[in-house]
Amino acid sequence: MINSHNKGDIGEDFVNQLAYKSLLKYWCYPSVKDEEGDKKEICDLLILFKNICIIITVKNYKFNGNHERYFKSTIEKGIKQLNGAERRLFNLPREIYIKHPDREKEKFEKTKYDTIYRIIVNLGEGLEFYNIRETNANGDFIFVFDKETFEILLTELDTISDLIGYFEKREELFKGRNSVMFQGE
């Protein structure tokens, strides 16, 4: 039997492998930790490209027909994790050092990043519909992707510029709308 911790690890591994095998290989930091601090995980996947920081949290909860419980387990927890990761990366009074799998550890240059994308990837199965965007308490836009959509993004788009362009257009389309539900693939 797979417990929730193992399911989380399986989900993170899936997303990290997908990102590392894609166009994002050189810019992705899977299961990034504060290497010289408490060594706790900051987020499931961090992608740094030029002035862009993409913070990703992965959820792997199976939908069992209870929408309220499901959204609390995925969206609410995901938003809290994204907020915590962003606070650690950008608001700690000390320097953070991170490690890319193919390089030595490096200082996270928090002043370099003026664009932040926040993403929840939900790998759970059986979901009939989901809200494809959320906002945090500050009104920051949060992308919500299911497994299929995230996989298509990372396998079909050819360049990181295409991916960023997609994020920009998606945010432009859905920002300011109260709720946008998506049903199907």
Side-chain angles (χ1 to χ4, degrees):
M1 179 170 188
I2 297 175
N3 65 34
S4 63
H5 181 70
N6 288 343
K7 281 179 66 176
D9 290 343
I10 290 167
E12 287 178 35
D13 287 345
F14 171 79
V15 169
N16 288 330
Q17 290 285 334
L18 186 62
Y20 198 73
K21 291 178 181 176
S22 76
L23 61 115
L24 299 173
K25 176 181 179 173
Y26 302 106
W27 305 289
C28 65
Y29 298 75
S31 303
V32 69
K33 295 174 178 52
D34 181 356
E35 295 290 332
E36 291 192 1
D38 59 15
K39 300 202 190 283
K40 288 184 180 178
E41 185 176 88
I42 297 171
C43 63
D44 296 328
L45 180 62
L46 182 67
I47 300 167
L48 304 174
F49 177 74
K50 295 185 179 181
N51 65 325
I52 297 168
C53 175
I54 303 171
I55 304 170
I56 298 176
T57 188
V58 179
K59 297 291 164 209
N60 194 12
Y61 295 107
K62 183 175 181 183
F63 176 68
N64 290 319
N66 184 337
H67 282 91
E68 184 177 335
R69 180 175 169 218
Y70 180 80
F71 290 119
K72 190 172 286 248
S73 296
T74 56
I75 304 304
E76 289 180 20
K77 284 184 178 179
I79 290 172
K80 285 180 185 177
Q81 288 173 332
L82 290 171
N83 290 340
E86 189 171 346
R87 268 193 315 274
R88 286 186 72 191
L89 289 168
F90 292 97
N91 297 333
L92 280 183
R94 64 175 174 78
E95 296 176 341
I96 300 263
Y97 287 84
I98 59 176
K99 176 134 180 31
H100 185 279
D102 297 334
R103 297 190 294 267
E104 297 296 320
K105 71 180 161 184
E106 60 196 80
K107 185 171 120 178
F108 175 76
E109 302 285 348
K110 59 183 158 188
T111 59
K112 178 179 178 180
Y113 304 101
D114 58 14
T115 301
I116 302 171
Y117 292 108
R118 300 152 192 88
I119 298 174
I120 299 171
V121 179
N122 177 23
L123 303 176
E125 296 179 4
L127 186 61
E128 297 166 3
F129 62 87
Y130 66 99
N131 196 347
I132 61 174
R133 53 86 78 218
E134 292 288 336
T135 55
N136 62 17
N138 297 330
D140 298 318
F141 192 88
I142 298 172
F143 298 93
V144 180
F145 295 110
D146 66 356
K147 179 180 181 179
E148 291 79 21
T149 305
F150 192 72
E151 191 169 15
I152 289 168
L153 280 176
L154 294 190
T155 56
E156 296 294 324
L157 297 177
D158 296 318
T159 67
I160 195 159
S161 297
D162 289 342
L163 182 65
I164 299 305
Y166 174 82
F167 290 158
E168 289 170 350
K169 294 296 183 190
R170 184 175 170 132
E171 184 172 349
E172 183 182 311
L173 179 63
F174 296 118
K175 195 167 195 166
R177 298 178 194 266
N178 288 337
S179 180
V180 179
M181 299 302 277
F182 188 78
Q183 184 173 0
E185 292 183 16

